[in-house]
Amino acid sequence: MRRTWLTSAIVVMVVTNSGGGVAAQSSLTPPLLESAEASFRYITSTLQTFRTTGRLVNNPGIDGADLEAFIEVLETYYGEFSRGFNSDSAMCRFYRDPENGRMTIEEKAELSFSFLAGLEYRRDRYIAVDAEFQQTIVTEFGSILLSNINERKVASTSNQQLPAAEFDEAATINFIDSVCM
């Protein structure tokens, strides 16, 4: 536990001192959670673009020799962020199960979403995964690359998001459809 706290403190110091832009913070979204959400968007959009084009678009400074290792790190942390809601998760298996076809889409989505851990646990987990991701980037590739990623992640867009907020019925259905189909 102490190591995780220390790692998080180091990463927070690196992120704070890196000059990597962080968007204006909402009073409702803690800065560390916003960073985690932005990291997830960056990872998702970078991997999606790489898988479709075979190129690292908007390269943060990775040279050809490190490309494979960088993509592997992104894939690892995509898996860590999405562990509870990826296509192989209990949530998605329940949602796609033909035995649940008699339920309305709203009922099926609500029950599927209930397979996720509680909101506070999810938020804490995403913050911890983000701290680990950032520390891994610093360890493997250096603080300059982390700074470049932090600048780019603010503007990253993705059709996937972290379930780090309360969702209404429509947002729940949209979220589950985007990750389970």
Side-chain angles (χ1 to χ4, degrees), residues 35-45 77-78 81-82 85 130 133 153 158 160-163 179:
S35 174
E37 291 173 322
S39 290
F40 181 72
R41 282 191 314 271
Y42 173 80
I43 291 167
T44 302
S45 66
Y77 283 95
Y78 176 79
F81 273 116
S82 67
F85 60 88
D130 186 43
F133 167 68
K153 77 181 188 181
S158 174
Q160 289 189 23
Q161 64 179 349
L162 289 176
V179 298

PDB file of all heavy atoms in Angstrom, residues 35-45 77-78 81-82 85 130 133 153 158 160-163 179:
ATOM      1  N   SER A  35      -7.789  13.567 -14.979  1.00  0.00           N
ATOM      2  CA  SER A  35      -6.573  13.065 -15.614  1.00  0.00           C
ATOM      3  C   SER A  35      -6.762  11.617 -16.054  1.00  0.00           C
ATOM      4  O   SER A  35      -6.358  11.240 -17.163  1.00  0.00           O
ATOM      5  CB  SER A  35      -5.382  13.173 -14.661  1.00  0.00           C
ATOM      6  OG  SER A  35      -4.238  12.568 -15.231  1.00  0.00           O
ATOM      7  N   ALA A  36      -7.372  10.794 -15.202  1.00  0.00           N
ATOM      8  CA  ALA A  36      -7.617   9.393 -15.540  1.00  0.00           C
ATOM      9  C   ALA A  36      -8.537   9.278 -16.751  1.00  0.00           C
ATOM     10  O   ALA A  36      -8.291   8.476 -17.659  1.00  0.00           O
ATOM     11  CB  ALA A  36      -8.214   8.660 -14.339  1.00  0.00           C
ATOM     12  N   GLU A  37      -9.598  10.080 -16.776  1.00  0.00           N
ATOM     13  CA  GLU A  37     -10.515  10.055 -17.916  1.00  0.00           C
ATOM     14  C   GLU A  37      -9.803  10.478 -19.199  1.00  0.00           C
ATOM     15  O   GLU A  37      -9.993   9.873 -20.254  1.00  0.00           O
ATOM     16  CB  GLU A  37     -11.722  10.951 -17.642  1.00  0.00           C
ATOM     17  CG  GLU A  37     -12.624  10.403 -16.554  1.00  0.00           C
ATOM     18  CD  GLU A  37     -13.734  11.357 -16.147  1.00  0.00           C
ATOM     19  OE1 GLU A  37     -13.494  12.588 -16.078  1.00  0.00           O
ATOM     20  OE2 GLU A  37     -14.846  10.860 -15.898  1.00  0.00           O
ATOM     21  N   ALA A  38      -8.964  11.502 -19.111  1.00  0.00           N
ATOM     22  CA  ALA A  38      -8.223  11.972 -20.284  1.00  0.00           C
ATOM     23  C   ALA A  38      -7.203  10.930 -20.733  1.00  0.00           C
ATOM     24  O   ALA A  38      -7.017  10.716 -21.940  1.00  0.00           O
ATOM     25  CB  ALA A  38      -7.543  13.305 -19.986  1.00  0.00           C
ATOM     26  N   SER A  39      -6.548  10.267 -19.799  1.00  0.00           N
ATOM     27  CA  SER A  39      -5.600   9.205 -20.156  1.00  0.00           C
ATOM     28  C   SER A  39      -6.323   8.073 -20.876  1.00  0.00           C
ATOM     29  O   SER A  39      -5.827   7.550 -21.880  1.00  0.00           O
ATOM     30  CB  SER A  39      -4.893   8.655 -18.913  1.00  0.00           C
ATOM     31  OG  SER A  39      -4.003   9.595 -18.385  1.00  0.00           O
ATOM     32  N   PHE A  40      -7.491   7.695 -20.368  1.00  0.00           N
ATOM     33  CA  PHE A  40      -8.254   6.631 -21.021  1.00  0.00           C
ATOM     34  C   PHE A  40      -8.648   7.035 -22.440  1.00  0.00           C
ATOM     35  O   PHE A  40      -8.524   6.246 -23.374  1.00  0.00           O
ATOM     36  CB  PHE A  40      -9.489   6.272 -20.197  1.00  0.00           C
ATOM     37  CG  PHE A  40     -10.314   5.170 -20.809  1.00  0.00           C
ATOM     38  CD1 PHE A  40      -9.852   3.869 -20.802  1.00  0.00           C
ATOM     39  CD2 PHE A  40     -11.544   5.440 -21.396  1.00  0.00           C
ATOM     40  CE1 PHE A  40     -10.602   2.843 -21.373  1.00  0.00           C
ATOM     41  CE2 PHE A  40     -12.290   4.432 -21.966  1.00  0.00           C
ATOM     42  CZ  PHE A  40     -11.827   3.127 -21.952  1.00  0.00           C
ATOM     43  N   ARG A  41      -9.111   8.271 -22.614  1.00  0.00           N
ATOM     44  CA  ARG A  41      -9.458   8.739 -23.968  1.00  0.00           C
ATOM     45  C   ARG A  41      -8.240   8.709 -24.876  1.00  0.00           C
ATOM     46  O   ARG A  41      -8.323   8.299 -26.030  1.00  0.00           O
ATOM     47  CB  ARG A  41     -10.036  10.160 -23.921  1.00  0.00           C
ATOM     48  CG  ARG A  41     -11.475  10.236 -23.469  1.00  0.00           C
ATOM     49  CD  ARG A  41     -12.080  11.623 -23.687  1.00  0.00           C
ATOM     50  NE  ARG A  41     -11.234  12.724 -23.251  1.00  0.00           N
ATOM     51  CZ  ARG A  41     -11.239  13.244 -22.023  1.00  0.00           C
ATOM     52  NH1 ARG A  41     -12.061  12.761 -21.112  1.00  0.00           N
ATOM     53  NH2 ARG A  41     -10.440  14.255 -21.718  1.00  0.00           N
ATOM     54  N   TYR A  42      -7.089   9.163 -24.355  1.00  0.00           N
ATOM     55  CA  TYR A  42      -5.857   9.164 -25.149  1.00  0.00           C
ATOM     56  C   TYR A  42      -5.482   7.738 -25.556  1.00  0.00           C
ATOM     57  O   TYR A  42      -5.191   7.463 -26.719  1.00  0.00           O
ATOM     58  CB  TYR A  42      -4.707   9.796 -24.362  1.00  0.00           C
ATOM     59  CG  TYR A  42      -3.395   9.668 -25.078  1.00  0.00           C
ATOM     60  CD1 TYR A  42      -3.054  10.534 -26.111  1.00  0.00           C
ATOM     61  CD2 TYR A  42      -2.497   8.656 -24.761  1.00  0.00           C
ATOM     62  CE1 TYR A  42      -1.868  10.399 -26.803  1.00  0.00           C
ATOM     63  CE2 TYR A  42      -1.308   8.515 -25.444  1.00  0.00           C
ATOM     64  CZ  TYR A  42      -1.002   9.381 -26.466  1.00  0.00           C
ATOM     65  OH  TYR A  42       0.170   9.232 -27.153  1.00  0.00           O
ATOM     66  N   ILE A  43      -5.478   6.823 -24.596  1.00  0.00           N
ATOM     67  CA  ILE A  43      -5.124   5.428 -24.870  1.00  0.00           C
ATOM     68  C   ILE A  43      -6.073   4.837 -25.897  1.00  0.00           C
ATOM     69  O   ILE A  43      -5.646   4.215 -26.874  1.00  0.00           O
ATOM     70  CB  ILE A  43      -5.122   4.606 -23.566  1.00  0.00           C
ATOM     71  CG1 ILE A  43      -3.955   5.036 -22.671  1.00  0.00           C
ATOM     72  CG2 ILE A  43      -5.060   3.117 -23.853  1.00  0.00           C
ATOM     73  CD1 ILE A  43      -4.039   4.508 -21.249  1.00  0.00           C
ATOM     74  N   THR A  44      -7.365   5.021 -25.690  1.00  0.00           N
ATOM     75  CA  THR A  44      -8.369   4.452 -26.584  1.00  0.00           C
ATOM     76  C   THR A  44      -8.240   5.015 -27.993  1.00  0.00           C
ATOM     77  O   THR A  44      -8.223   4.254 -28.967  1.00  0.00           O
ATOM     78  CB  THR A  44      -9.782   4.722 -26.024  1.00  0.00           C
ATOM     79  OG1 THR A  44      -9.867   4.156 -24.715  1.00  0.00           O
ATOM     80  CG2 THR A  44     -10.853   4.107 -26.900  1.00  0.00           C
ATOM     81  N   SER A  45      -8.148   6.329 -28.114  1.00  0.00           N
ATOM     82  CA  SER A  45      -8.077   6.922 -29.449  1.00  0.00           C
ATOM     83  C   SER A  45      -6.771   6.574 -30.151  1.00  0.00           C
ATOM     84  O   SER A  45      -6.759   6.303 -31.353  1.00  0.00           O
ATOM     85  CB  SER A  45      -8.273   8.438 -29.392  1.00  0.00           C
ATOM     86  OG  SER A  45      -7.205   9.059 -28.708  1.00  0.00           O
ATOM     87  N   TYR A  77      -2.605  -0.916 -20.420  1.00  0.00           N
ATOM     88  CA  TYR A  77      -3.384   0.007 -19.601  1.00  0.00           C
ATOM     89  C   TYR A  77      -4.815   0.177 -20.106  1.00  0.00           C
ATOM     90  O   TYR A  77      -5.710   0.457 -19.303  1.00  0.00           O
ATOM     91  CB  TYR A  77      -2.639   1.330 -19.397  1.00  0.00           C
ATOM     92  CG  TYR A  77      -1.569   1.112 -18.359  1.00  0.00           C
ATOM     93  CD1 TYR A  77      -0.262   0.817 -18.729  1.00  0.00           C
ATOM     94  CD2 TYR A  77      -1.888   1.095 -17.011  1.00  0.00           C
ATOM     95  CE1 TYR A  77       0.700   0.542 -17.766  1.00  0.00           C
ATOM     96  CE2 TYR A  77      -0.933   0.816 -16.045  1.00  0.00           C
ATOM     97  CZ  TYR A  77       0.350   0.536 -16.432  1.00  0.00           C
ATOM     98  OH  TYR A  77       1.299   0.251 -15.473  1.00  0.00           O
ATOM     99  N   TYR A  78      -5.040  -0.052 -21.382  1.00  0.00           N
ATOM    100  CA  TYR A  78      -6.431  -0.103 -21.852  1.00  0.00           C
ATOM    101  C   TYR A  78      -7.132  -1.257 -21.129  1.00  0.00           C
ATOM    102  O   TYR A  78      -8.250  -1.108 -20.632  1.00  0.00           O
ATOM    103  CB  TYR A  78      -6.512  -0.286 -23.371  1.00  0.00           C
ATOM    104  CG  TYR A  78      -7.941  -0.441 -23.820  1.00  0.00           C
ATOM    105  CD1 TYR A  78      -8.760   0.673 -23.956  1.00  0.00           C
ATOM    106  CD2 TYR A  78      -8.497  -1.695 -24.041  1.00  0.00           C
ATOM    107  CE1 TYR A  78     -10.095   0.549 -24.330  1.00  0.00           C
ATOM    108  CE2 TYR A  78      -9.819  -1.830 -24.410  1.00  0.00           C
ATOM    109  CZ  TYR A  78     -10.613  -0.713 -24.550  1.00  0.00           C
ATOM    110  OH  TYR A  78     -11.943  -0.850 -24.901  1.00  0.00           O
ATOM    111  N   PHE A  81      -7.741  -0.251 -17.410  1.00  0.00           N
ATOM    112  CA  PHE A  81      -8.856   0.691 -17.255  1.00  0.00           C
ATOM    113  C   PHE A  81     -10.192   0.003 -17.504  1.00  0.00           C
ATOM    114  O   PHE A  81     -11.161   0.244 -16.810  1.00  0.00           O
ATOM    115  CB  PHE A  81      -8.722   1.867 -18.234  1.00  0.00           C
ATOM    116  CG  PHE A  81      -7.895   3.015 -17.739  1.00  0.00           C
ATOM    117  CD1 PHE A  81      -6.706   3.364 -18.376  1.00  0.00           C
ATOM    118  CD2 PHE A  81      -8.296   3.786 -16.660  1.00  0.00           C
ATOM    119  CE1 PHE A  81      -5.941   4.441 -17.942  1.00  0.00           C
ATOM    120  CE2 PHE A  81      -7.542   4.868 -16.208  1.00  0.00           C
ATOM    121  CZ  PHE A  81      -6.359   5.193 -16.853  1.00  0.00           C
ATOM    122  N   SER A  82     -10.261  -0.847 -18.518  1.00  0.00           N
ATOM    123  CA  SER A  82     -11.552  -1.397 -18.962  1.00  0.00           C
ATOM    124  C   SER A  82     -11.850  -2.781 -18.400  1.00  0.00           C
ATOM    125  O   SER A  82     -12.810  -3.423 -18.848  1.00  0.00           O
ATOM    126  CB  SER A  82     -11.583  -1.455 -20.497  1.00  0.00           C
ATOM    127  OG  SER A  82     -10.645  -2.402 -20.975  1.00  0.00           O
ATOM    128  N   PHE A  85     -15.473  -3.548 -17.673  1.00  0.00           N
ATOM    129  CA  PHE A  85     -16.482  -3.265 -18.692  1.00  0.00           C
ATOM    130  C   PHE A  85     -16.024  -3.565 -20.117  1.00  0.00           C
ATOM    131  O   PHE A  85     -16.610  -3.087 -21.076  1.00  0.00           O
ATOM    132  CB  PHE A  85     -16.971  -1.808 -18.593  1.00  0.00           C
ATOM    133  CG  PHE A  85     -15.896  -0.766 -18.786  1.00  0.00           C
ATOM    134  CD1 PHE A  85     -15.576  -0.310 -20.054  1.00  0.00           C
ATOM    135  CD2 PHE A  85     -15.228  -0.238 -17.702  1.00  0.00           C
ATOM    136  CE1 PHE A  85     -14.596   0.657 -20.238  1.00  0.00           C
ATOM    137  CE2 PHE A  85     -14.252   0.732 -17.864  1.00  0.00           C
ATOM    138  CZ  PHE A  85     -13.940   1.184 -19.142  1.00  0.00           C
ATOM    139  N   ASP A 130      -4.369   5.276 -13.583  1.00  0.00           N
ATOM    140  CA  ASP A 130      -3.746   6.410 -14.265  1.00  0.00           C
ATOM    141  C   ASP A 130      -2.370   6.708 -13.680  1.00  0.00           C
ATOM    142  O   ASP A 130      -1.411   6.955 -14.419  1.00  0.00           O
ATOM    143  CB  ASP A 130      -4.637   7.653 -14.187  1.00  0.00           C
ATOM    144  CG  ASP A 130      -4.098   8.817 -14.993  1.00  0.00           C
ATOM    145  OD1 ASP A 130      -3.634   8.606 -16.132  1.00  0.00           O
ATOM    146  OD2 ASP A 130      -4.155   9.956 -14.491  1.00  0.00           O
ATOM    147  N   PHE A 133      -0.065   4.089 -14.960  1.00  0.00           N
ATOM    148  CA  PHE A 133       0.208   4.334 -16.380  1.00  0.00           C
ATOM    149  C   PHE A 133       1.259   5.431 -16.531  1.00  0.00           C
ATOM    150  O   PHE A 133       2.246   5.263 -17.260  1.00  0.00           O
ATOM    151  CB  PHE A 133      -1.092   4.722 -17.101  1.00  0.00           C
ATOM    152  CG  PHE A 133      -0.890   5.293 -18.475  1.00  0.00           C
ATOM    153  CD1 PHE A 133      -0.414   4.503 -19.512  1.00  0.00           C
ATOM    154  CD2 PHE A 133      -1.176   6.621 -18.740  1.00  0.00           C
ATOM    155  CE1 PHE A 133      -0.222   5.028 -20.792  1.00  0.00           C
ATOM    156  CE2 PHE A 133      -0.991   7.159 -20.004  1.00  0.00           C
ATOM    157  CZ  PHE A 133      -0.509   6.358 -21.034  1.00  0.00           C
ATOM    158  N   LYS A 153      -3.386  14.438 -24.393  1.00  0.00           N
ATOM    159  CA  LYS A 153      -4.565  13.724 -23.881  1.00  0.00           C
ATOM    160  C   LYS A 153      -5.737  14.653 -23.584  1.00  0.00           C
ATOM    161  O   LYS A 153      -6.885  14.224 -23.635  1.00  0.00           O
ATOM    162  CB  LYS A 153      -4.205  12.862 -22.671  1.00  0.00           C
ATOM    163  CG  LYS A 153      -4.031  13.579 -21.365  1.00  0.00           C
ATOM    164  CD  LYS A 153      -3.644  12.586 -20.274  1.00  0.00           C
ATOM    165  CE  LYS A 153      -3.637  13.211 -18.913  1.00  0.00           C
ATOM    166  NZ  LYS A 153      -3.246  12.241 -17.881  1.00  0.00           N
ATOM    167  N   SER A 158     -12.762  10.117 -27.941  1.00  0.00           N
ATOM    168  CA  SER A 158     -13.019   8.702 -28.120  1.00  0.00           C
ATOM    169  C   SER A 158     -14.510   8.458 -27.956  1.00  0.00           C
ATOM    170  O   SER A 158     -15.189   9.187 -27.239  1.00  0.00           O
ATOM    171  CB  SER A 158     -12.240   7.890 -27.080  1.00  0.00           C
ATOM    172  OG  SER A 158     -12.579   6.528 -27.161  1.00  0.00           O
ATOM    173  N   GLN A 160     -15.480   5.871 -26.490  1.00  0.00           N
ATOM    174  CA  GLN A 160     -15.555   5.152 -25.224  1.00  0.00           C
ATOM    175  C   GLN A 160     -15.228   6.107 -24.083  1.00  0.00           C
ATOM    176  O   GLN A 160     -14.462   7.050 -24.258  1.00  0.00           O
ATOM    177  CB  GLN A 160     -14.575   3.988 -25.209  1.00  0.00           C
ATOM    178  CG  GLN A 160     -14.977   2.864 -26.128  1.00  0.00           C
ATOM    179  CD  GLN A 160     -14.097   1.647 -25.922  1.00  0.00           C
ATOM    180  OE1 GLN A 160     -13.493   1.459 -24.874  1.00  0.00           O
ATOM    181  NE2 GLN A 160     -14.036   0.814 -26.926  1.00  0.00           N
ATOM    182  N   GLN A 161     -15.815   5.833 -22.943  1.00  0.00           N
ATOM    183  CA  GLN A 161     -15.546   6.641 -21.762  1.00  0.00           C
ATOM    184  C   GLN A 161     -15.483   5.732 -20.549  1.00  0.00           C
ATOM    185  O   GLN A 161     -15.929   4.596 -20.594  1.00  0.00           O
ATOM    186  CB  GLN A 161     -16.632   7.693 -21.564  1.00  0.00           C
ATOM    187  CG  GLN A 161     -18.012   7.106 -21.277  1.00  0.00           C
ATOM    188  CD  GLN A 161     -19.054   8.173 -21.055  1.00  0.00           C
ATOM    189  OE1 GLN A 161     -18.747   9.336 -20.914  1.00  0.00           O
ATOM    190  NE2 GLN A 161     -20.308   7.777 -21.019  1.00  0.00           N
ATOM    191  N   LEU A 162     -14.912   6.251 -19.501  1.00  0.00           N
ATOM    192  CA  LEU A 162     -14.901   5.527 -18.238  1.00  0.00           C
ATOM    193  C   LEU A 162     -16.252   5.714 -17.551  1.00  0.00           C
ATOM    194  O   LEU A 162     -16.802   6.817 -17.577  1.00  0.00           O
ATOM    195  CB  LEU A 162     -13.806   6.071 -17.322  1.00  0.00           C
ATOM    196  CG  LEU A 162     -12.374   5.772 -17.703  1.00  0.00           C
ATOM    197  CD1 LEU A 162     -11.420   6.478 -16.749  1.00  0.00           C
ATOM    198  CD2 LEU A 162     -12.102   4.280 -17.697  1.00  0.00           C
ATOM    199  N   PRO A 163     -16.761   4.685 -16.903  1.00  0.00           N
ATOM    200  CA  PRO A 163     -17.988   4.847 -16.123  1.00  0.00           C
ATOM    201  C   PRO A 163     -17.659   5.449 -14.752  1.00  0.00           C
ATOM    202  O   PRO A 163     -17.782   4.795 -13.721  1.00  0.00           O
ATOM    203  CB  PRO A 163     -18.527   3.419 -16.030  1.00  0.00           C
ATOM    204  CG  PRO A 163     -17.301   2.558 -16.070  1.00  0.00           C
ATOM    205  CD  PRO A 163     -16.332   3.287 -16.966  1.00  0.00           C
ATOM    206  N   VAL A 179     -19.475  -0.348 -25.439  1.00  0.00           N
ATOM    207  CA  VAL A 179     -18.417  -1.256 -25.008  1.00  0.00           C
ATOM    208  C   VAL A 179     -18.741  -2.738 -25.205  1.00  0.00           C
ATOM    209  O   VAL A 179     -17.825  -3.550 -25.255  1.00  0.00           O
ATOM    210  CB  VAL A 179     -18.002  -1.019 -23.529  1.00  0.00           C
ATOM    211  CG1 VAL A 179     -17.440   0.372 -23.349  1.00  0.00           C
ATOM    212  CG2 VAL A 179     -19.105  -1.307 -22.562  1.00  0.00           C
TER     213      VAL A 179
END
